[in-house]
Amino acid sequence: MTRTAADRVLADLDDRQAAAVVAPPGPVRIMAGAGTGKTRTITHRIAYQHVTGAVPADVVLAVTHSAKAAGEMRDRLARLGAGSVQARTFHAAAMRQLRYFWRATGLPGEGPVLLDVDGRGAYYRYLRGALGVTLRTSAADVDAALVTDLATELAWAAARDLTADTYADAAQAAGRRPGMSLATVTGAMRRYTTAKRAAGVLDFADLLAVCARMLEEHEEVATEVRRQYASFVVDEYQDTDPAQQRLLDAWLGDRDRLAVVGDARQAVYAFKGADTSLLRDFTVRFPHAVTVDLVQDYRSTPQVVAAANRLMAGRPEASGPALVGMLGDGPAPVVERCADEDDEDARIVATVRGWLDAGVPVEEIAVLHRFNAQAVKLTAALRDAGVPVVAGDGSAYFARREVAQVLTLLRRRAAQAPDDDARPALDDALAQAGYDPEAPPDGTGAARERWDALDALRALVASLPQALTRTVRALSADLDRRAAEDHVPPGRGAVTVTTIHKAKGLEWDACLLARATAGSLPSVYATTGPELAEERRLAYVAITRARRHLVATWAADRPGGRPARPSPYLDALDPAPVRPARRVRDVPSPRRASASASPFTAGQRVTHDRHGLGKVVDVRGSNVTVDFGSGGRRTVTADGRLVAL
């Protein structure tokens, strides 16, 4: 029976996956490249050890970095007959142990009382109060951006297992650029820690440190935990931070029954405190460890995989064998050089339409970008062309406080003076929201994010046709429509527009990497060697999200006519010279050329200088029937008065 069960677990694994599955209980390092079956391999390994009796499932703790990953692992293990494995995030496992052994912590109460970090309520009040005391001002007068930046720095410090005494030196060495001085962060950190201790509460990050300290200081607790968990598995080990490693060490004690799985080439969370050297130097800590490299990429075509291999070739910080694409031949990756951002947006729309015409499902298309603010114009261009869009994390740009404030100010202006010129009205509303186009905040904190969001709104309006920006009433109505669309949940399918970071762990048939210029990818904020190395790994993540189709676009001119250079990573996608710049509207798409000579097509968003915004419902020669909403359907001539968005 055992032999039959073991054979079933090993069935359909490739040679390297099988080698990882049958390796001794530990220590084992599985270097799993993109698309190589990481989760499949690690769950089959746990199941194989269970059915062979090497390590029973009920003494295994499998640790992940997200609740979603933990749930997927539990489901797979249950189907493999190893459902008694505990699969949890680091924080969930720590919380469970703290609740059981709480009295050993010496802290008051009957169990951990957590601040509402996700809801931001009590947590932000504590942070605001700590900043108020540090800055010698009223807590009510503390800028919300400073509170957000403090939360970011506290999370980074906790991940690096730092205290108020060690934060400043570590932050300076790491090149941290919060929206306040490091001394202010240190002072607020001390006061925040004191306030928590006085109230007997913890925040989410405290769970790991308190649990680790409990195990380190109470041998009887450590003995009981180690008796329950005899073997450990860590998923996405390249994303592990020092605080998590400290807890893992406390669980292990002097044992080495540990299997880790990860990919150094996908280590992109150093800004959150992750330490990829833990994966890279695993064999230094465990010289007798078994290392297995998974190299057969079942996700992507050889053409996509070759681009990823070229990007990382010769990079010591992400060394490892080249991947082998197993999906079957597909089209070569394409790099599109565009004249400017408006031209780039039009090219992106044309590319997405081409994929849809070729039969790629709309939900299997993604547009990836580096910064959050870049999504605004990209999303608008696709929606104006009638393409359904969903944000990668479900967030709504127009729901941001500063953007909603501008829309409210425009709405009031439209009620008072509907026929006023829209552009000065917008400039005034942006100024009231705190936007100065000539003074972007320093650093990468919340103040800069707020400025970027408002700057993205200004850029969006600048790209709109004149009919929508002639009066305050027209502009306000158009932006309100966009805000409503931003909140509407997608239907059966939609194109995903998301940052590369949020795309990690996901995959699509077709991916388009937008705004691929130097200063965007790599980020202008990446200046040190480690930061630039992480930007390259981020480009690697973007490339390996694609199964078959991969296109990158970049604009030769930035807004304002400033010249731009392509991302240095694009050579890996297309070693041949890139296509020359040409405006997409000057070149009919294949579908249009085959359908008619008209530059318009059904479903396209258009604007008419007399009738306003509408959607094309029929094209017959030079006559275009457009649904103008409350203005009804009208057949108009495809002349200069009708403009495609």
Side-chain angles (χ1 to χ4, degrees):
M1 176 180 176
T2 301
R3 178 63 180 168
T4 302
D7 289 343
R8 188 166 57 249
V9 171
L10 292 173
D12 300 324
L13 299 175
D14 66 40
D15 290 345
R16 296 202 183 207
Q17 290 172 340
V21 167
V22 303
V28 174
R29 179 179 66 174
I30 303 170
M31 303 291 274
T36 57
K38 167 183 66 70
T39 305
R40 174 183 175 83
T41 301
I42 202 66
T43 52
H44 279 245
R45 172 179 167 80
I46 294 170
Y48 181 81
Q49 292 182 333
H50 172 64
V51 300
T52 59
V55 182
D58 57 3
V59 299
V60 176
L61 178 59
V63 193
T64 72
H65 290 275
S66 72
K68 179 181 178 181
E72 180 182 354
M73 189 174 288
R74 284 194 295 269
D75 290 344
R76 293 197 186 199
L77 288 166
R79 291 195 293 271
L80 291 168
S84 58
V85 170
Q86 295 293 311
R88 303 182 183 279
T89 65
F90 277 98
H91 289 86
M95 173 65 92
R96 183 180 175 89
Q97 291 170 23
L98 284 174
R99 283 174 174 163
Y100 191 81
F101 298 107
W102 182 250
R103 292 189 178 182
T105 66
L107 295 173
E110 299 299 319
V113 177
L114 285 183
L115 288 173
D116 184 15
V117 174
D118 291 334
R120 307 289 187 176
Y123 177 60
Y124 264 39
R125 285 198 298 275
Y126 272 73
L127 298 187
R128 192 179 290 275
L131 276 169
V133 174
T134 303
L135 297 172
R136 298 181 180 181
T137 187
S138 167
D141 293 333
V142 174
D143 192 310
L146 291 182
V147 180
T148 301
D149 285 348
L150 177 60
T152 299
E153 291 306 293
L154 290 178
W156 180 81
R160 304 297 298 181
D161 207 18
L162 302 171
T163 66
D165 293 330
T166 57
Y167 163 78
D169 288 343
Q172 186 172 11
R176 302 291 294 182
R177 295 181 287 269
M180 67 198 89
S181 70
L182 299 185
T184 298
V185 176
T186 298
M189 187 183 299
R190 285 200 175 94
R191 288 171 173 83
Y192 172 64
T193 301
T194 300
K196 283 190 300 177
R197 188 181 298 118
V201 297
L202 304 176
D203 63 26
F204 194 61
D206 291 328
L207 294 177
L208 303 186
V210 172
C211 188
R213 187 167 59 248
M214 177 182 70
L215 294 168
E216 292 162 353
E217 296 177 354
H218 297 275
E219 187 60 36
E220 70 281 5
V221 174
T223 298
E224 189 168 346
V225 170
R226 292 166 189 163
R227 185 184 301 119
Q228 180 180 2
Y229 298 119
S231 182
F232 298 86
V233 173
V234 183
D235 189 21
E236 299 283 11
Y237 193 58
Q238 79 279 352
D239 294 336
T240 300
D241 59 47
Q244 293 165 336
Q245 183 64 47
R246 177 186 173 189
L247 179 56
L248 179 61
D249 290 342
W251 287 335
L252 276 169
D254 58 2
R255 301 170 298 173
D256 64 1
R257 284 197 168 187
L258 170 65
V260 300
V261 58
D263 182 5
R265 286 169 283 203
Q266 296 189 70
V268 294
Y269 287 118
F271 71 96
K272 287 187 174 182
D275 185 356
T276 187
S277 70
L278 295 171
L279 174 66
R280 187 179 62 244
D281 299 338
F282 187 80
T283 54
V284 175
R285 180 180 180 186
F286 299 106
H288 57 301
V290 173
T291 292
V292 181
D293 294 313
L294 305 184
V295 299
Q296 291 181 269
D297 183 344
Y298 298 96
R299 173 189 300 162
S300 303
T301 65
Q303 288 78 9
V304 171
V305 170
N309 286 336
R310 286 192 295 267
L311 180 68
M312 302 308 295
R315 298 289 159 177
E317 76 277 4
S319 60
L323 295 179
V324 179
M326 304 296 291
L327 188 60
D329 280 340
V334 173
V335 175
E336 295 279 4
R337 181 182 189 273
C338 307
D340 52 31
E341 278 196 5
D342 289 344
D343 184 39
E344 184 180 4
D345 292 344
R347 176 63 62 185
I348 290 169
V349 169
T351 300
V352 169
R353 280 180 170 160
W355 284 335
L356 293 172
D357 289 347
V360 179
V362 65
E363 65 273 11
E364 287 293 344
I365 298 174
V367 177
L368 311 181
H369 51 89
R370 177 64 180 86
F371 298 113
N372 286 322
Q374 291 171 331
V376 181
K377 280 193 67 191
L378 295 169
T379 297
L382 289 164
R383 282 184 173 149
D384 286 348
V387 178
V389 176
V390 63
D393 63 351
S395 63
Y397 163 77
F398 286 95
R400 291 184 61 102
R401 179 180 300 178
E402 61 275 9
V403 177
Q405 179 184 355
V406 172
L407 266 60
T408 298
L409 292 170
L410 285 175
R411 208 175 294 124
R412 291 174 182 168
R413 184 73 170 270
Q416 297 166 357
D419 295 325
D420 278 2
D421 190 338
R423 306 230 179 224
L426 174 67
D427 291 342
D428 182 59
L430 287 169
Q432 290 187 59
Y435 172 76
D436 181 349
E438 303 301 325
D442 293 332
T444 58
R448 180 58 192 242
E449 286 188 7
R450 184 167 62 190
W451 188 92
D452 284 341
L454 293 172
D455 188 63
L457 182 61
R458 178 204 57 76
L460 170 64
V461 173
S463 70
L464 296 177
Q466 185 179 4
L468 297 179
T469 59
R470 185 172 292 144
T471 66
V472 180
R473 175 170 50 192
L475 178 59
S476 178
D478 183 68
L479 293 178
D480 283 344
R481 174 188 64 80
R482 294 177 189 277
E485 289 179 348
D486 214 25
H487 286 82
V488 174
R492 182 175 181 181
V495 170
T496 299
V497 177
T498 188
T499 63
I500 304 170
H501 276 106
K502 292 169 186 171
K504 186 173 179 291
L506 304 175
E507 59 189 72
W508 294 269
D509 283 350
C511 288
L512 191 147
L513 178 56
R515 307 292 193 255
T517 58
S520 177
L521 187 68
S523 165
V524 67
Y525 300 114
T527 57
T528 67
E531 288 171 340
L532 289 168
E534 181 146 322
E535 291 291 309
R536 181 176 290 272
R537 294 195 295 270
L538 197 59
Y540 177 87
V541 168
I543 291 171
T544 55
R545 299 312 92 198
R547 297 192 190 103
R548 297 189 60 82
H549 305 279
L550 179 61
V551 172
T553 60
W554 68 282
D557 284 339
R558 296 187 182 98
R562 296 169 296 162
R565 294 179 292 109
S567 166
Y569 309 140
L570 296 187
D571 287 346
L573 270 68
D574 187 2
V578 298
R579 299 185 184 185
R582 57 180 182 175
R583 292 187 177 275
V584 67
R585 289 185 182 123
D586 296 339
V587 184
S589 71
R591 179 172 68 175
R592 291 174 185 167
S594 62
S596 73
S598 174
F600 303 100
T601 185
Q604 188 175 18
R605 291 293 180 94
V606 295
T607 184
H608 192 274
D609 65 0
R610 180 178 175 186
H611 303 299
L613 187 69
K615 180 185 289 187
V616 175
V617 296
D618 187 40
V619 179
R620 298 190 182 184
S622 61
N623 292 324
V624 183
T625 302
V626 182
D627 185 349
F628 289 104
S630 60
R633 290 193 177 191
R634 297 176 181 271
T635 299
V636 296
T637 303
D639 55 18
R641 304 177 71 181
L642 187 67
V643 179
L645 297 179

